[in-house]
Amino acid sequence: MEKVQVVYEDNHILVVVKPPNMPTQADASGDLDLQSAMKAYIAEKYNKTGAVYLGLVHRLDRPVGGLVVLARTSKAADRLSAQVRNKTLYRQYVAAVRGEVPEKGTLCDTLVKDGRTNTVRVVPAGVPGGKDAKLTYQKAGQAGELSLVRVRLFTGRSHQIRVQLSHAGMPIWGDARYGGGKPGEQIALWGAHLGLVHPTLKEEMHFDVLPPEDGDPWKRFAQSVWKKEAEICL
């Protein structure tokens, strides 16, 4: 399992880069998950012999890599969770998508999750169980049939970015479930930016980590494209 990169840590929060294909929390697979891995990291680093508290505030789909903030205290967990509910936890992603991509746009849909198949679909507004989903996107560059887009997430629905982009005719490269991805392809979706207000210091904090540019399909985009992408703020 790939080592988890620690971007920032103090007594209240831990900001890390979740590797692709690592579950955010323990699941039926029994594979090492991010929460358990970071509990072990804290226990070893600080010689903690008892149980380690580490609260989950938000998640990334298992195949998706990128920034995640974890709470080291229950107070921090409560305050960060409030930022998620108030839509002030600022999350931006990069994705390589196929199809015709406008320069920018906003997607507002109603999503329903089928727990039996662990899939999500877009449904008409008013359908029982439907949840509102909103994101905005901006195109940063082109590489053949693929476009690089920056996506800002306003709601945290399951599989939201993958489903909404696919429904809009912009499926994510490598997404086997919603985008026609092929075996061996790694989904081209990455949690690239995280903004939050520190739960005790009350200071605004921003973190940026781009996907590995030597990986496919990220390596297809020119350096100038990545520079432009880094300048986009949605």
Side-chain angles (χ1 to χ4, degrees), residues 8 10-14 53-58 69-85 89 196-202:
Y8 175 86
D10 61 23
N11 291 333
H12 304 278
I13 66 173
L14 185 63
Y53 177 87
L54 198 61
L56 281 178
V57 177
H58 65 114
V69 59
L70 301 160
R72 292 194 58 192
T73 65
S74 58
K75 178 187 290 187
D78 290 343
R79 292 178 177 178
L80 289 172
S81 295
Q83 292 179 45
V84 174
R85 291 193 300 272
L89 189 76
L196 55 90
V197 176
H198 192 279
T200 59
L201 301 177
K202 307 301 183 183

Side-chain angles (χ1 to χ4, degrees), residues 10-60:
D10 61 23
N11 291 333
H12 304 278
I13 66 173
L14 185 63
V15 179
V16 301
V17 180
K18 183 183 88 67
N21 303 319
M22 174 185 274
T24 305
Q25 64 183 130
D27 60 17
S29 72
D31 294 338
L32 179 64
D33 63 281
L34 181 70
Q35 186 180 30
S36 298
M38 300 322 294
K39 282 185 177 181
Y41 162 82
I42 291 172
E44 180 180 357
K45 182 172 182 178
Y46 299 102
N47 295 315
K48 290 184 175 291
T49 56
V52 173
Y53 177 87
L54 198 61
L56 281 178
V57 177
H58 65 114
R59 296 166 177 79
L60 292 178

Side-chain angles (χ1 to χ4, degrees), residues 137-151:
Y137 66 87
Q138 185 168 340
K139 185 175 178 179
Q142 190 86 26
E145 66 167 354
L146 297 180
S147 296
L148 187 71
V149 295
R150 169 78 85 159
V151 179

Side-chain angles (χ1 to χ4, degrees), residues 93-110:
Y93 298 74
V94 289
V97 303
R98 303 193 309 271
E100 294 296 322
V101 180
E103 286 302 312
K104 60 182 177 180
T106 299
L107 300 179
C108 296
D109 297 297
T110 302

Side-chain angles (χ1 to χ4, degrees), residues 122-136:
V122 175
V123 298
V127 169
K131 295 183 178 181
D132 293 337
K134 178 183 177 181
L135 62 79
T136 58

